[in-house]
Amino acid sequence: MKRHPRLLDLFCCAGGAAQGYNEAGFEIYGVDIVEQPNYPFPMMVADVMKLPQSFLQEFDVIHASPPCQSYSDLAARNGNADQWPRLVAPVRGMLERSGKKWVIENVEGAPLIDPVVLSGTMFPGLRVIRRRLFETNFPLTTPPDIPRSQYPLCHTLDKRKAHYGKTCEWTDYVSVNGGGNCSVASARDAMGIQWMTKNEINEAIPPAYTRWIGKQLMEHIGFMKRKSIKAILKELFIQHKGKVLTSVQLQEAVGEGRTEWARRVRELRMNEGWPIETNNDASDLKPGQYRLAGDPPDPGSYKFTRSISQVQRARVLERNGYTCQACGAGVEDRTQTGRPVKLVIDHHEAFSYGGPDDDSNLRVLCQECNGGAKNLVSSPPTWKWLMSQVRRAKREDQLKVLEQLEKKFR
């Protein structure tokens, strides 16, 4: 049995759907009629409707998001729906001929057959309504939702609306669309998407939708669910209780490319009370060595309540310019494996050493730097040091710096 089933993402755009499927355990490959530079997975440029059936047979599951403009409310109001292709029916026929499990996603008003509806109100943490239809050739359940009459108000910039000035783009729901009513940073936070431009976000669906669908797909195609990093670490420590484990062994156990294991070890130690020793606790241990010194606590014996709110997270991200404070990587950059950089919130003075959750003690790190931080304390560079580095740079690099600063502050 393959470890990761392969999913073909047709009309892939910038990868909102793909990211959710990947988080559910799928290996992703995208196809679009134009190059998508921010797509976080391998892709090719091709006309979807000209793909041979032999190509579709290389994948376990197929997701398709045909162009939705012809079916949108805006096209209906403007009376220009015929200006865009209507591909739902042809795509459905192509997918049915493939014999694979498939999903077609589109906007309300599209001619999908017996679709289910997913809305941002079904997923804690999202701050968008963004109702979307999903037609599948397998049974699909949905999370519970509230009545549409009780949907929350969206932040508005329209002074004619009664709730103008009473909402906040960082705490309330927002409308992510062509005109927009919020900053790109707020739209990214509301959708759970950090790597897209505003125009790309306008066309995207939150990864939470396809993560929900992807978990059900895994069951329908008979693939085992991928174990979480923390579950793997727990099993490994229990199996080797009292014995020394190295960082190399931990990385091998969780799998290549899963770099968050160090953070999960710290969570087990500091948040869940596991008696895991390091070189700071035992003189016979070297840096990079760990040992479970006793029995782990009962699962219900601890209660971890510390949290950093979405508002605070967004505030720190904005303050640090959506840039890793250790290596300088931003949300538009790529890792060595070609994936978009993921940013997390970290502490200057480690929480395990008594560091507070105040904004002044928080910083932005990329996931790779955070995975290896291990409670190191570092201070952000001063403006004088930054200017000294800019002066040393080549003219073309200085112009790039100017361009990025103007983009951020203008």
Side-chain angles (χ1 to χ4, degrees):
M1 181 177 291
K2 291 182 289 186
R3 183 175 178 82
H4 299 293
R6 301 188 71 203
L7 183 141
L8 179 61
D9 182 18
L10 302 179
F11 311 96
C12 65
C13 294
Q19 180 62 32
Y21 284 124
N22 180 251
E23 292 171 0
F26 285 92
E27 177 186 334
I28 311 297
Y29 192 85
V31 179
D32 205 290
I33 195 70
V34 296
E35 183 66 40
Q36 299 290 343
N38 287 331
Y39 190 70
F41 305 101
M43 68 159 293
M44 72 176 185
V45 176
D47 184 341
V48 168
M49 303 312 300
K50 295 181 180 179
L51 294 175
Q53 278 290 328
S54 59
F55 177 73
L56 304 186
Q57 296 304 313
E58 297 178 16
F59 299 87
D60 302 287
V61 174
I62 305 173
H63 172 99
S65 296
C68 62
Q69 291 91 339
S70 181
Y71 313 116
S72 68
D73 290 338
L74 181 61
R77 291 196 300 269
N78 294 339
N80 60 351
D82 293 334
Q83 293 183 10
W84 290 278
R86 296 181 178 180
L87 298 181
V88 167
V91 166
R92 181 188 296 117
M94 179 178 68
L95 299 184
E96 289 176 339
R97 290 190 295 274
S98 75
K100 304 291 183 179
K101 298 294 183 185
W102 51 261
V103 179
I104 301 177
E105 176 269 329
N106 224 279
V107 298
E108 289 186 300
L112 300 190
I113 299 174
D114 297 326
V116 302
V117 180
L118 293 182
S119 166
T121 51
M122 299 176 177
F123 299 90
L126 295 184
R127 293 187 294 106
V128 289
I129 305 296
R130 190 136 293 201
R131 289 169 61 88
R132 289 295 183 267
L133 306 182
F134 295 86
E135 178 185 344
T136 66
N137 65 342
F138 59 91
L140 182 62
T141 65
T142 64
D145 195 11
I146 59 178
R148 294 191 68 172
S149 60
Q150 298 178 18
Y151 275 9
L153 293 173
C154 288
H155 178 64
T156 183
L157 300 178
D158 187 347
K159 294 183 179 180
R160 296 170 298 179
K161 294 187 177 180
H163 64 286
Y164 172 76
K166 300 178 182 179
T167 54
C168 172
E169 68 171 5
W170 291 110
T171 56
D172 295 295
Y173 276 60
V174 297
S175 295
V176 182
N177 51 38
N181 67 343
C182 64
S183 65
V184 63
S186 175
R188 287 169 174 164
D189 180 74
M191 291 272 284
I193 293 173
Q194 295 297 334
W195 68 93
M196 293 188 191
T197 66
K198 182 60 165 63
N199 287 337
E200 290 170 338
I201 291 178
N202 292 345
E203 304 296 330
I205 61 172
Y209 291 9
T210 45
R211 183 167 61 246
W212 173 270
I213 295 172
K215 290 179 180 179
Q216 296 180 63
L217 262 173
M218 283 289 188
E219 297 178 4
H220 283 291
I221 63 177
F223 277 84
M224 297 295 290
K225 182 180 178 182
R226 190 182 189 187
K227 285 187 178 179
S228 70
I229 292 176
K230 189 175 288 186
I232 294 172
L233 292 174
K234 285 181 177 180
E235 290 182 2
L236 188 66
F237 276 117
I238 291 173
Q239 292 171 2
H240 296 81
K241 177 182 172 183
K243 299 179 181 179
V244 176
L245 290 169
T246 68
S247 57
V248 173
Q249 290 174 299
L250 298 182
Q251 179 65 77
E252 290 178 348
V254 301
E256 183 181 355
R258 306 179 82 183
T259 59
E260 309 97 318
W261 65 266
R263 184 181 183 88
R264 301 297 172 252
V265 171
R266 292 199 297 274
E267 290 174 356
L268 288 175
R269 282 166 44 84
M270 303 303 175
N271 303 343
E272 301 187 21
W274 281 58
I276 299 173
E277 296 178 329
T278 70
N279 64 301
N280 294 321
D281 310 300
S283 58
D284 62 321
L285 294 180
K286 299 177 181 178
Q289 292 185 335
Y290 304 84
R291 179 173 56 212
L292 181 63
D295 292 327
D298 294 332
S301 65
Y302 70 91
K303 184 177 181 181
F304 177 54
T305 58
R306 181 180 66 89
S307 65
I308 298 173
S309 69
Q310 284 191 345
V311 176
Q312 186 179 24
R313 180 179 184 274
R315 194 165 57 234
V316 175
L317 282 166
E318 179 73 15
R319 183 197 67 195
N320 286 163
Y322 290 86
T323 302
C324 175
Q325 301 300 287
C327 70
V331 292
E332 297 180 354
D333 295 324
R334 302 269 173 166
T335 66
Q336 292 183 349
T337 59
R339 294 188 174 186
V341 168
K342 294 183 179 180
L343 299 178
V344 298
I345 304 300
D346 185 61
H347 293 74
H348 285 290
E349 181 183 0
F351 177 74
S352 56
Y353 294 163
D357 282 340
D358 298 336
D359 283 13
S360 59
N361 190 48
L362 298 179
R363 60 179 174 177
V364 175
L365 290 182
C366 69
Q367 204 168 57
E368 292 189 348
C369 288
N370 185 62
K374 300 179 182 177
N375 291 340
L376 296 179
V377 177
S378 64
S379 300
T382 65
W383 72 270
K384 290 184 178 180
W385 182 89
L386 286 173
M387 285 304 301
S388 70
Q389 300 306 302
V390 171
R391 292 191 191 102
R392 294 174 56 200
K394 297 178 181 178
R395 177 178 174 80
E396 54 266 31
D397 291 330
Q398 291 179 347
L399 290 173
K400 281 288 185 182
V401 172
L402 176 61
E403 178 185 336
Q404 293 299 317
L405 291 175
E406 287 181 333
K407 184 185 298 184
K408 174 174 172 58
F409 292 107
R410 284 190 176 179

